[in-house]
Amino acid sequence: MEKSRSGIGGAIEENTLAILDASEATKHTRDADDDRIAFLEAVRATSLLPENKAPPTFKMCEAVFKILRFGKSLELITTSYQLLNELDRQFPRVYMTNSEGSSMSPELVVLQEAWTPFVLGTDISDSEKSTANDLTGGLFDPHGLHLLLQGLAEASDVADFQASDTKVLRDMLLFHYLVSVLEGDFGPRNQMYKESMNWIFVRESLLNMILCSRKMNYKGLMKDCMAILCGLGQSLAEYDNTVPCSEASVVKQSEAIDTALTTALLHFGRITSTATLKLMVMVMELDSSKKYADMQGHTTRADGVRTPLAEIIQDELTYDKNILLPFLQVFKDSKWKLEIIVQFFWKYISKPSVRTRRSNGPAVDATFSGVLKCISNSSSTKSITKKISAHAIQLLLAHGFQAFLLLSTKQPPLEGLPDSKEQVAGGSLVETCKNLISIFNCLRTLDEELEISSCAKEALFVAATILSKKL
């Protein structure tokens, strides 16, 4: 995507932008919306039809993004959202050259002049900063991204979720698109870092620059992500549990909420939940790469100091017991779920000897199997229950075992890279199953009236079945 064109290309840009008057961003009449739809169709015809496929200009992309950000109708919101995603797939900003079947090493291609919805860097003018989050600027700075997330966190409340309007729908798709942009930029960069161990690839990623910005309340952003993930999970689950509902309830709902709006809200709610999970996983992948670069001595003071997201999650789960189950249910990434659970347990297990930050190799068996082995006897189980409730231990073990099994079936990543499958899971399947059953036996011994949760019963059944087949 080039910022400017000449000749025929320039005429295309002029003609398509002529359909849309950027100064009319706040005008939402039927005619104005028809002009916006015509503009979106013109951009699609110009850039995505097989006979054309001319890269859109910076101004064209910005205009499409403004329609998504400030559109009032469901048609405008969804059409602009789909168009932006199609344009990004067809004309990626960052990508790795294909090295399959070639002796050449892969290279990272970064189109420096490509359009992005984010305003970043110290070279941004005061006028651009002041309009970054208004109707004329249309772009997002780190603070604007956080404000968007705060609004979604408030809307994820059960009551508000069912009474939402097109503004919330728009913000949901807007957030999903922004996360897609961050993912498209960070994914290739992080992969290239693993290939080359050149930290600068990740340092210059949009995600890293946003999180390092002085305008970003990083911990607040991550806490809002947890609120969205847990809130939407509960809201969607409550809605699903009420279907089918009574005829009276249907009438009441149809009077309060438009059917199309409700259907879109549920669909977009699930999209938002997925986007939130993607963002959190990306941040943890960034934390992992940064930790590895730090161990290799590749980071500098300019990279700053930031609390790893896994630690923030642990603290939130520790101090708010009510979100433990919702979080474990909606956090679907097996690798990072297991990592969070392992770190949660090690927080309450005897600490190892102090090691320097660049020491090679773990000081303890910091795997799920290592955790189970450590707390699988009566004394250690009794000790851990004094710090973590038996109910919480059940949930953590059940969800951890599920993630362990899923990871065990996957192929390991490249050797020598941080956070490999073996580092997170570890241990043999048989040993893990034995220790899991042993811990639950110890829990029952400590409290004969202990009620085993349904997910824990399922984990025990699977563990016993595996042992019966292996032994």
Side-chain angles (χ1 to χ4, degrees):
M1 286 179 283
E2 302 170 0
K3 271 195 172 183
S4 61
R5 292 180 182 180
S6 58
I8 297 176
I12 292 174
E13 179 188 45
E14 184 178 348
N15 290 336
T16 52
L17 287 173
I19 301 174
L20 189 72
D21 185 352
S23 65
E24 296 294 318
T26 57
K27 186 177 180 181
H28 293 286
T29 63
R30 179 60 183 270
D31 289 342
D33 284 350
D34 287 344
D35 286 343
R36 293 184 179 99
I37 290 294
F39 171 75
L40 295 176
E41 291 174 351
V43 174
R44 181 182 296 279
T46 300
S47 300
L48 295 176
L49 290 184
E51 60 270 23
N52 293 326
K53 289 198 173 182
T57 65
F58 188 96
K59 289 183 179 179
M60 289 166 67
C61 288
E62 186 178 25
V64 176
F65 183 71
K66 285 181 181 179
I67 294 176
L68 169 61
R69 185 168 184 188
F70 307 116
K72 297 288 187 180
S73 73
L74 212 54
E75 182 183 14
L76 278 174
I77 295 168
T78 55
T79 302
S80 56
Y81 164 78
Q82 291 170 353
L83 179 57
L84 283 169
N85 279 295
E86 290 177 30
L87 290 172
D88 285 351
R89 284 194 295 269
Q90 185 66 40
F91 308 104
R93 303 172 182 83
V94 180
Y95 59 92
M96 289 178 64
T97 56
N98 188 0
S99 60
E100 292 184 9
S102 172
S103 59
M104 299 289 291
S105 299
E107 293 183 357
L108 187 73
V109 178
V110 180
L111 303 179
Q112 298 289 354
E113 299 301 316
W115 177 82
T116 171
F118 295 104
V119 177
L120 299 170
T122 56
D123 56 342
I124 303 300
S125 66
D126 291 337
S127 60
E128 286 178 308
K129 289 179 181 179
S130 64
T131 61
N133 301 297
D134 64 20
L135 289 175
T136 57
L139 305 182
F140 273 85
D141 67 359
H143 180 62
L145 177 63
H146 193 182
L147 289 178
L148 177 65
L149 266 164
Q150 285 179 331
L152 290 175
E154 293 173 2
S156 64
D157 176 78
V158 176
D160 291 339
F161 179 79
Q162 294 182 357
S164 298
D165 56 15
T166 52
K167 179 183 183 304
V168 174
L169 296 179
R170 182 184 66 207
D171 288 349
M172 285 179 170
L173 284 191
L174 180 60
F175 172 62
H176 187 272
Y177 174 68
L178 294 176
V179 171
S180 296
V181 171
L182 293 176
E183 183 182 30
D185 177 80
F186 176 74
R189 289 177 180 277
N190 199 43
Q191 183 59 38
M192 193 64 196
Y193 166 66
K194 293 178 180 180
E195 297 273 353
S196 66
M197 291 295 117
N198 186 350
W199 168 243
I200 196 171
F201 288 124
V202 178
R203 176 188 289 156
E204 294 179 350
S205 67
L206 289 173
L207 180 63
N208 186 61
M209 289 191 289
I210 287 173
L211 297 183
C212 289
S213 170
R214 285 185 239 179
K215 299 181 71 174
M216 170 59 69
N217 180 349
Y218 163 68
K219 284 191 177 180
L221 182 77
M222 295 300 101
K223 289 179 180 180
D224 285 333
C225 283
M226 288 192 68
I228 293 171
L229 201 62
C230 295
L232 280 179
Q234 289 179 301
S235 298
L236 293 169
E238 287 198 14
Y239 182 89
D240 291 338
N241 290 335
T242 62
V243 179
C245 52
S246 65
E247 183 178 349
S249 177
V250 172
V251 173
K252 185 177 180 181
Q253 281 193 349
S254 63
E255 291 175 349
I257 309 172
D258 180 80
T259 304
L261 187 61
T262 306
T263 303
L265 182 62
L266 294 170
H267 177 62
F268 294 174
R270 292 185 174 91
I271 286 178
T272 303
S273 182
T274 300
T276 306
L277 178 59
K278 278 186 179 181
L279 178 59
M280 295 177 74
V281 168
M282 272 194 290
V283 173
M284 287 187 281
E285 293 285 357
L286 173 60
D287 291 340
S288 175
S289 293
K290 185 176 180 182
K291 178 182 177 181
Y292 195 74
D294 188 43
M295 291 172 60
Q296 302 300 312
H298 297 157
T299 58
T300 67
R301 282 187 176 184
D303 291 300
V305 178
R306 190 177 69 249
T307 304
L309 176 54
E311 293 183 19
I312 295 175
I313 293 174
Q314 291 163 41
D315 290 340
E316 290 297 297
L317 297 180
T318 298
Y319 297 118
D320 189 352
K321 306 295 184 186
N322 294 325
I323 68 171
L324 179 61
L325 178 57
F327 178 80
L328 292 174
Q329 288 176 330
V330 297
F331 197 89
K332 302 295 185 181
D333 187 276
S334 298
K335 170 189 168 183
W336 285 107
K337 177 190 278 191
L338 194 59
E339 177 70 21
I340 290 166
I341 291 172
V342 167
Q343 290 189 27
F344 191 96
F345 275 114
W346 277 118
K347 185 177 180 179
Y348 298 100
I349 295 174
S350 299
K351 299 297 186 293
S353 58
V354 177
R355 299 172 69 87
T356 62
R357 70 172 186 164
R358 291 177 181 172
S359 297
N360 293 322
V364 294
D365 183 7
T367 65
F368 183 66
S369 295
V371 166
L372 296 188
K373 184 178 180 180
C374 190
I375 63 174
S376 60
N377 59 70
S378 57
S379 61
S380 58
T381 302
K382 183 177 181 179
S383 175
I384 200 73
T385 53
K386 291 179 180 179
K387 303 170 183 176
I388 310 174
S389 69
H391 176 68
I393 290 174
Q394 287 187 58
L395 293 176
L396 292 165
L397 290 178
H399 284 272
F401 184 62
Q402 181 187 53
F404 171 85
L405 292 178
L406 289 172
L407 285 174
S408 297
T409 62
K410 296 179 180 180
Q411 294 296 320
L414 296 175
E415 294 182 3
L417 295 180
D419 297 316
S420 71
K421 181 257 298 183
E422 289 83 357
Q423 287 176 312
V424 177
S428 72
L429 182 58
V430 171
E431 181 185 9
T432 301
C433 291
K434 284 181 178 179
N435 288 332
L436 180 74
I437 294 173
S438 176
I439 294 171
F440 276 96
N441 287 336
C442 291
L443 288 173
R444 286 196 189 99
T445 302
L446 291 170
D447 184 0
E448 295 180 355
E449 297 182 357
L450 177 66
E451 183 179 349
I452 305 298
S453 64
S454 58
C455 62
K457 288 179 181 177
E458 183 179 345
L460 287 170
F461 176 77
V462 172
T465 302
I466 291 173
L467 285 180
S468 67
K469 292 181 178 180
K470 296 286 185 179
L471 298 179

